[in-house]
Amino acid sequence: GAGVSQSPSNKVTEKGKDVELRCDPISGHTALYWYRQSLGQGLEFLIYFQGNSAPDKSGLPSDRFSAERTGGSVSTLTIQRTQQEDSAVYLCASSPYRGQNEKLFFGSGTQLSVL
Amino acid sequence: QKEVEQNSGPLSVPEGAIASLNCTYSDRGSQSFFWYRQYSGKSPELIMFIYSNGDKEDGRFTAQLNKASQYVSLLIRDSQPSDSATYLCAHSGTYKYIFGTGTRLKVLA
């Protein structure tokens, strides 16, 4: 596709269950970001992938959160033992990483609701 | 101290007026600064970026950067109701994009 694709668009889960969120970046984009946006709040940085380098995981809020990026393309964000405070929109963004003035291309997000 | 600080608003301006949105940042190593617009329920979209001190104009939008004061602003001239959205300031140092919490702008018809 032409843009960043995220799935599912909506996810409702029960507290304590694990969830997986998927991001398919724009082809050729080497940089990939995950952000979390709670209702009425800004974008909270979670994790950053750049090519084959070790990811920057400094934004992950707890060890229940993990992410991987396979083959430098698709990324999966996994939340284990979900809690109600995990409810938010999870946004993925990618960029071609050609210079310092990189524009981020965002997906439509996954709305996660933990009951 | 947050890396990027913005007044959450809402900032209300009448149609046709100039809207002024402000942002301060703490990392002196930041090189590039960005303004994204986010409509309710939508993803952010880039409006402007700036990396040199001074002003940068693009249509009705002007970004201003003052690295000595660690301050970046966005001016929207001739504000329209369609400009009503949340405006997110962001910076990138070596690579990581950090966003502020955003300022909600309301343009009153």
Side-chain angles (χ1 to χ4, degrees):
Chain A
V4 177
S5 177
Q6 289 189 247
S7 61
S9 55
N10 281 282
K11 177 71 176 179
V12 180
T13 190
E14 293 179 351
K15 178 181 172 181
K17 295 287 180 74
D18 298 352
V19 295
E20 283 190 353
L21 312 180
R22 176 188 168 104
C23 173
D24 198 345
I26 293 173
S27 178
H29 281 196
T30 58
L32 187 149
Y33 297 79
W34 282 99
Y35 292 92
R36 178 170 70 175
Q37 188 170 35
S38 301
L39 188 63
Q41 302 298 309
L43 273 66
E44 176 188 4
F45 168 79
L46 297 178
I47 190 168
Y48 165 75
F49 295 91
Q50 171 51 40
N52 295 320
S53 302
D56 179 342
K57 304 179 181 180
S58 60
L60 294 179
S62 77
D63 59 7
R64 296 186 296 104
F65 288 72
S66 63
E68 63 177 20
R69 189 178 184 190
T70 54
S73 181
V74 173
S75 178
T76 302
L77 177 69
T78 301
I79 309 173
Q80 296 178 309
R81 305 181 303 281
T82 52
Q83 303 294 311
Q84 288 182 332
E85 60 262 29
D86 299 333
S87 297
V89 175
Y90 288 81
L91 288 164
C92 175
S94 71
S95 79
Y97 196 69
R98 283 193 294 261
Q100 66 175 355
N101 300 317
E102 284 298 314
K103 170 183 175 180
L104 291 188
F105 295 79
F106 282 88
S108 299
T110 293
Q111 172 73 64
L112 175 65
S113 300
V114 182
L115 304 179
Chain B
Q1 181 186 10
K2 290 183 179 178
E3 287 197 46
V4 180
E5 298 215 38
Q6 296 181 257
N7 187 319
S8 61
L11 171 66
S12 296
V13 299
E15 184 175 358
I18 296 175
S20 178
L21 305 163
N22 304 314
C23 172
T24 57
Y25 61 94
S26 59
D27 183 1
R28 287 193 173 274
S30 297
Q31 299 171 12
S32 301
F33 302 86
F34 307 83
W35 284 99
Y36 282 76
R37 177 176 62 199
Q38 186 177 28
Y39 291 113
S40 181
K42 301 294 186 182
S43 297
E45 55 180 340
L46 181 69
I47 298 176
M48 293 192 71
F49 69 85
I50 185 168
Y51 57 88
S52 298
N53 276 325
D55 295 0
K56 179 181 179 183
E57 187 174 318
D58 183 1
R60 295 187 296 113
F61 299 97
T62 298
Q64 299 174 318
L65 175 60
N66 184 324
K67 290 188 178 181
S69 300
Q70 296 176 251
Y71 177 92
V72 59
S73 65
L74 179 70
L75 300 177
I76 306 175
R77 289 181 299 281
D78 188 24
S79 296
Q80 301 298 308
S82 59
D83 295 326
S84 297
T86 295
Y87 289 80
L88 299 161
C89 172
H91 76 81
S92 70
T94 51
Y95 58 81
K96 192 163 67 179
Y97 251 83
I98 300 296
F99 285 83
T101 54
T103 298
R104 190 154 60 97
L105 173 67
K106 288 185 175 180
V107 180
L108 307 172

